[in-house]
Amino acid sequence: MSQSDDLLLCPITLELFKDPVLAQDGHTYERQAIVEWIQKKGRSPITDQPLSLEHLYPNHAIKKAVDHFENTMKSKKYQYVLGVDVKKKAGRPLFQSFGKTIFYAEWLPTKKNRPEIILLKIDGARSKKEASFYVDLSRHPHIVRTYGIVHEENDDEDDENNAVMLLQEHAPMGSLYDVLQERRKAPNENILIEIFLQILDAMIFLAFNNVVHADLACRNVLVFRLDENDPENIIVKITDFGLSRHSQLYSLAPSAKKTILNIIPTRYVAPEILSVNTTPDDYTEKSDVFSMGVLIWEAYSRCAIPWAKITDDNDVARRVVNGERLLKPKHCSESYWSIICKTWSKSPKDRPTFAELRRFLTQQYYETTPQPFNIENNTNFYESYNTTKQEYQGATSGNNYSTQLDTNDEIMHNPTNTSIDIVIKNCKMRNLANSRDNCVLLTTGSFNPVHPLHFQNLVRVRDFLENEHQPRWNVLAGYISPTHDSYVHSKLGDPAWIPAKDRCRLCEEAIQHEGPGLSSWIAVSRGECEWEDGFIDFDAVTENFRDFLNSTLVGAGTLFKYPLRVVYVCGLDHYNKCSHVENIEKQKNMSSAIVYRTGCNEQQISRSSKTSGIIYIPLIKERSKLVDVSSAEIRQYFQNPGGNKTNIDR
């Protein structure tokens, strides 16, 4: 890895600094990025000399320069004048096609302490949004950064050749199309999968913000770094999204003579886009998913033209609409090909979402790629303290049944249904790898549907454990675990119950809706609701969750030195009705946190008040502005709008 030419960019992430620190090698890095690097590799990414976390110092000069740059952009409202704030470099354009031109550009009056930039000119288009919208939409590690909108010095709104000019960061390696075309053979499959996962991260973000790309292809993926020896060093970013006739971001300029917005990339789009009766409603996340499948095919094929043997685009359109699909590329394995084919289902509803597609690829990657840490060969890994099979009582279809869960042999939770990224990220940010007091919260339930009180309980428990509990515990993450369909359906019946897939999605969207205050440490675990053996009670779920975290993250060669404690979170009414809570506090590295409202049923806190494994946490101010509304009341409200809805209204 080499030092970035842009002093304001971290050489690891290639993003603008937020918290720059100076390391022993004399180079400056983003704090979180270099901490993770040192934790994993221990040596400088630039000089290869040994580095330590103890010798990272804030770089105030770089921080001041970045803040000045950001404040200057904000003061201009992210709008610039050509020839005054920026200029085109002399010479030919970097890229030019029908309706789109890219120019090398420079900052004015000086480019000192400014990132390298280009001007993207889109002919015959006008922006629908404020400049700040385009800037904020690009604040993602895998979306090309937009610094603002550029206007001609004498901009004429009535000019029939009106165009939008975006000021964007420069990608030194060009497009993925250029990079792959120059190669004699396709990269290794693990390199391509890393690229696809980064693109999917960006598309998940766009889909969450209701933005349709409409032209996903390798030419619209820019390469910032390609490291074939270490896929984790690869950085790609998507660009040119929203350029379509039905764009949410741009509109056609009056009397536009040429514009890319009218062009349909026939060989890449979904069949519903090729229909003669296409409407704006046909441009969806699922139409982008279809194009993502073509992009993946294209990358495997070293950017060969899709349907290259067919010269007529109309013939291609007829074939796609009739259900014909591209053939498997030579270097694509069968396991990944079966996933790609899911993106090409004729009906949009049968295609996966971007989040689901990312999960499919990740799961296949874990199954086929050797991992650096092998639990079975490591004598220091965390051992489950419950090594015997135990029976747990559950309910399905209204009947009790017993299921055996061997915590040594069967792992309900795994990296594909329970992301541990939040745990790792927060541990490294807070430098807690060697702490004995780390814990993770877990709460289970139907979440049919989810509402703010579910989150509030986790927040209250976190605050209590980190500030009031003795000893103070470090809460690294909180997980919501929706219950298995068999139990929820048997309890609620039709039409009240919501399938697990949708309950998980609603929980994930609710977390994102609440913002970084929650999304930075709360996530959804799908392990319980996707367990193939059916419903398992929450004490077994919690125990299995503990074993998954510790067998994955604790021990020599991993992140944590000491076992993680899992704290099961529930309300007082749940605790008083379920003896399973007592099973939890009897286990090693497991506790229960019982939240209750002061002045409400406190007399019921008696059964295990002297048990150290159970922590009682009062809710005082937290609910002063909220009314207790149960999931049942919410369901009844929508099922019977004319009924009693006092609490809902409040």
Side-chain angles (χ1 to χ4, degrees):
M1 186 180 296
S2 60
Q3 173 67 50
S4 171
D5 292 332
D6 290 326
L7 294 179
L8 303 191
L9 303 184
C10 169
I12 298 176
T13 66
L14 299 183
E15 294 286 307
L16 281 172
F17 283 113
K18 296 178 182 177
D19 184 10
V21 293
L22 186 65
Q24 292 160 283
D25 61 357
H27 295 281
T28 299
Y29 305 92
E30 181 64 29
R31 181 185 296 275
Q32 180 181 340
I34 192 60
V35 166
E36 292 180 2
W37 186 282
I38 294 173
Q39 291 270 14
K40 187 177 296 184
K41 303 187 179 181
R43 308 185 74 85
S44 166
I46 296 176
T47 67
D48 200 39
Q49 71 186 76
L51 296 181
S52 65
L53 295 175
E54 293 76 19
H55 294 89
L56 298 177
Y57 305 99
N59 190 325
H60 297 294
I62 293 294
K63 175 64 174 171
K64 184 177 180 180
V66 172
D67 288 346
H68 176 72
F69 174 63
E70 292 276 14
N71 291 333
T72 299
M73 290 195 298
K74 189 174 182 180
S75 68
K76 292 179 177 291
K77 297 182 178 179
Y78 307 105
Q79 300 191 60
Y80 309 94
V81 177
L82 191 63
V84 177
D85 301 305
V86 296
K87 70 174 183 178
K88 299 176 185 176
K89 283 187 178 181
R92 300 179 62 182
L94 174 63
F95 173 84
Q96 190 166 21
S97 67
F98 181 84
K100 185 178 80 171
T101 309
I102 299 175
F103 303 93
Y104 287 110
E106 285 185 357
W107 297 95
L108 293 176
T110 175
K111 63 179 182 179
K112 183 179 179 181
N113 289 340
R114 295 289 187 271
E116 290 291 319
I117 50 174
I118 57 95
L119 269 175
L120 169 61
K121 183 180 181 183
I122 307 167
D123 292 313
R126 286 183 173 177
S127 56
K128 283 186 177 181
K129 308 285 186 179
E130 296 290 334
S132 59
F133 178 87
Y134 300 89
V135 173
D136 292 338
L137 194 61
S138 71
R139 295 185 188 274
H140 185 282
H142 299 298
I143 294 178
V144 169
R145 180 72 186 268
T146 295
Y147 297 116
I149 294 178
V150 178
H151 305 278
E152 298 279 0
E153 193 165 4
N154 298 310
D155 216 350
D156 185 355
E157 289 291 327
D158 296 324
D159 187 351
E160 64 179 11
N161 292 317
N162 208 356
V164 171
M165 284 193 290
L166 300 178
L167 189 65
Q168 296 184 327
E169 65 178 326
H170 174 237
M173 297 186 68
S175 72
L176 182 60
Y177 177 89
D178 297 328
V179 170
L180 295 180
Q181 276 251 311
E182 292 171 357
R183 300 176 59 93
R184 298 184 63 181
K185 63 178 183 178
N188 290 336
E189 197 163 41
N190 63 330
I191 300 293
L192 291 176
I193 297 303
E194 176 61 31
I195 291 172
F196 301 152
L197 292 176
Q198 292 186 19
I199 296 170
L200 288 170
D201 280 341
M203 291 308 302
I204 290 170
F205 178 79
L206 289 184
F208 179 77
N209 285 281
N210 299 313
V211 173
V212 176
H213 192 295
D215 193 13
L216 260 181
C218 287
R219 63 181 176 275
N220 290 327
V221 177
L222 301 186
V223 181
F224 286 74
R225 185 164 59 224
L226 186 66
D227 186 342
E228 299 198 44
N229 295 319
D230 189 350
E232 292 186 1
N233 290 337
I234 294 172
I235 297 179
V236 300
K237 303 184 182 185
I238 63 171
T239 186
D240 287 12
F241 45 86
L243 299 181
S244 72
R245 177 188 294 272
H246 303 296
S247 172
Q248 308 98 319
L249 305 181
Y250 308 99
S251 61
L252 289 171
S255 305
K257 292 182 178 179
K258 62 175 183 177
T259 176
I260 196 173
L261 300 186
N262 280 332
I263 297 177
I264 296 177
T266 303
R267 295 169 186 263
Y268 293 83
V269 297
E272 61 268 23
I273 306 301
L274 298 172
S275 169
V276 293
N277 299 317
T278 299
T279 69
D281 292 339
D282 291 315
Y283 285 83
T284 65
E285 177 184 2
K286 296 300 186 73
S287 63
D288 272 348
V289 166
F290 187 99
S291 298
M292 182 70 200
V294 180
L295 182 154
I296 294 174
W297 177 93
E298 184 185 19
Y300 270 111
S301 306
R302 283 196 307 117
C303 291
I305 298 174
W307 307 100
K309 295 182 179 180
I310 304 173
T311 57
D312 186 356
D313 280 356
N314 292 325
D315 190 11
V316 171
R318 282 192 296 271
R319 290 170 182 260
V320 172
V321 170
N322 290 332
E324 193 170 337
R325 298 294 181 259
L326 294 161
L327 300 178
K328 185 175 81 70
K330 177 181 178 181
H331 300 290
C332 179
S333 62
E334 288 290 347
S335 55
Y336 285 116
W337 180 245
S338 64
I339 296 173
I340 296 169
C341 290
K342 295 178 188 291
T343 68
W344 292 337
S345 296
K346 187 168 185 178
S347 173
K349 66 181 179 61
D350 293 331
R351 299 171 204 152
T353 63
F354 281 115
E356 290 168 337
L357 181 56
R358 192 191 195 288
R359 193 159 63 248
F360 294 154
L361 290 179
T362 302
Q363 181 175 5
Q364 186 58 41
Y365 180 83
Y366 273 101
E367 290 178 357
T368 57
T369 304
Q371 299 303 306
F373 175 65
N374 188 336
I375 296 170
E376 295 180 356
N377 296 330
N378 192 313
T379 58
N380 295 318
F381 78 96
Y382 168 84
E383 296 180 357
S384 169
Y385 288 89
N386 185 16
T387 57
T388 60
K389 290 188 176 182
Q390 297 187 9
E391 287 191 348
Y392 296 97
Q393 297 298 316
T396 180
S397 302
N399 300 315
N400 289 335
Y401 83 106
S402 298
T403 182
Q404 290 186 325
L405 182 65
D406 188 329
T407 56
N408 282 337
D409 297 333
E410 298 180 75
I411 298 297
M412 173 188 298
H413 303 88
N414 58 64
T416 62
N417 62 41
T418 306
S419 172
I420 55 176
D421 292 347
I422 286 180
V423 178
I424 296 171
K425 174 184 175 182
N426 289 327
C427 168
K428 291 179 177 179
M429 285 183 63
R430 299 169 64 181
N431 196 21
L432 294 172
N434 294 322
S435 173
R436 295 176 180 268
D437 299 317
N438 293 328
C439 69
V440 172
L441 309 183
L442 176 70
T443 185
T444 65
S446 65
F447 303 106
N448 194 93
V450 66
H451 59 74
L453 296 185
H454 292 128
F455 301 136
Q456 189 187 63
N457 286 347
L458 290 175
V459 172
R460 175 60 180 129
V461 172
R462 179 197 62 178
D463 293 346
F464 181 89
L465 294 179
E466 293 203 333
N467 299 296
E468 303 175 53
H469 186 260
Q470 293 298 327
R472 293 184 179 180
W473 289 349
N474 310 308
V475 178
L476 299 179
Y479 284 86
I480 286 178
S481 178
T483 308
H484 197 276
D485 275 345
S486 59
Y487 180 83
V488 177
H489 185 257
S490 68
K491 293 285 286 186
L492 302 178
D494 296 323
W497 82 293
I498 302 172
K501 177 181 177 181
D502 295 322
R503 285 184 282 125
C504 289
R505 177 178 56 81
L506 289 171
C507 288
E508 289 167 346
E509 291 180 356
I511 292 169
Q512 292 298 322
H513 175 77
E514 293 293 327
L518 289 187
S519 62
S520 62
W521 71 282
I522 294 181
V524 175
S525 168
R526 298 170 180 260
E528 178 184 358
C529 65
E530 293 181 355
W531 182 238
E532 60 183 10
D533 289 345
F535 172 71
I536 301 292
D537 256 316
F538 57 85
D539 50 348
V541 171
T542 306
E543 183 181 347
N544 195 273
F545 182 68
R546 174 205 64 186
D547 289 346
F548 159 64
L549 291 179
N550 285 289
S551 63
T552 306
L553 294 172
V554 179
T558 57
L559 180 60
F560 293 99
K561 184 176 181 180
Y562 301 102
L564 290 167
R565 177 179 294 274
V566 172
V567 180
Y568 180 76
V569 177
C570 68
L572 182 60
D573 56 342
H574 180 69
Y575 169 61
N576 284 317
K577 289 187 291 186
C578 301
S579 61
H580 295 284
V581 179
E582 292 183 337
N583 292 340
I584 291 175
E585 54 89 12
K586 295 175 184 177
Q587 301 295 326
K588 289 281 188 178
N589 297 308
M590 289 167 60
S591 299
S592 297
I594 313 301
V595 293
Y596 67 95
R597 286 186 299 167
T598 55
C600 180
N601 296 327
E602 288 180 81
Q603 67 275 11
Q604 296 184 29
I605 303 176
S606 59
R607 194 166 61 208
S608 299
S609 58
K610 296 182 180 180
T611 304
S612 60
I614 295 182
I615 305 162
Y616 293 94
I617 302 176
L619 295 165
I620 307 173
K621 299 178 181 179
E622 289 78 7
R623 300 206 177 185
S624 60
K625 296 182 180 180
L626 286 174
V627 177
D628 273 333
V629 181
S630 68
S631 295
E633 287 180 283
I634 296 175
R635 290 193 297 271
Q636 291 166 7
Y637 174 79
F638 287 105
Q639 291 166 7
N640 183 21
N644 184 1
K645 49 189 178 183
T646 304
N647 281 349
I648 301 292
D649 291 336
R650 290 171 61 195

